Amino acid sequence: MDPVAGAKFLGVLADGTRIQILQLLAGGELAVAQVSDALAIPHYQASRHLSALKSVGLVEGRRDKRRVLYQLTPAGREGHVDLGCCTVEFSRT
């Protein structure tokens, strides 16, 4: 991973709410409303956090009728990402 992408990745993970979302998604697919309810945050904030996680390849979404269900990507499920200079590991618990 190039330095700019690595910095963006670390910036996304620097938010505790996003780490909580990764932990929630380790249990399976969730819609924005479910993430919002579980973390007691507004829907728009949950959506923004999911979008940030999606932008670095940790989360993906699939349309299910009127909603999008989010899940961890293979990189998110592995629990570590190689940044080129170093490896970032994160626990799913």
Side-chain angles (χ1 to χ4, degrees):
M1 183 178 295
D2 69 78
V4 173
K8 180 180 178 183
F9 182 86
L10 291 173
V12 167
L13 286 184
D15 188 295
T17 302
R18 294 180 185 144
I19 301 297
Q20 290 177 303
I21 291 172
L22 291 173
Q23 291 172 332
L24 286 172
L25 293 176
E29 286 184 321
L30 294 173
V32 174
Q34 293 169 302
V35 171
S36 172
D37 291 346
L39 299 179
I41 61 175
H43 288 203
Y44 76 90
Q45 283 183 5
S47 182
R48 281 191 184 168
H49 288 302
L50 286 161
S51 179
L53 291 167
K54 188 176 178 182
S55 75
V56 296
L58 292 175
V59 170
E60 60 190 4
R62 71 172 181 86
R63 183 153 298 281
D64 178 47
K65 298 182 184 174
R66 293 185 152 182
R67 63 185 185 164
V68 177
L69 295 174
Y70 290 90
Q71 64 183 358
L72 296 177
T73 62
R77 287 190 296 272
E78 288 175 9
H80 68 276
V81 175
D82 183 1
L83 298 177
C85 64
C86 54
T87 300
V88 175
E89 294 186 32
F90 47 93
S91 172
R92 293 183 301 268
T93 58

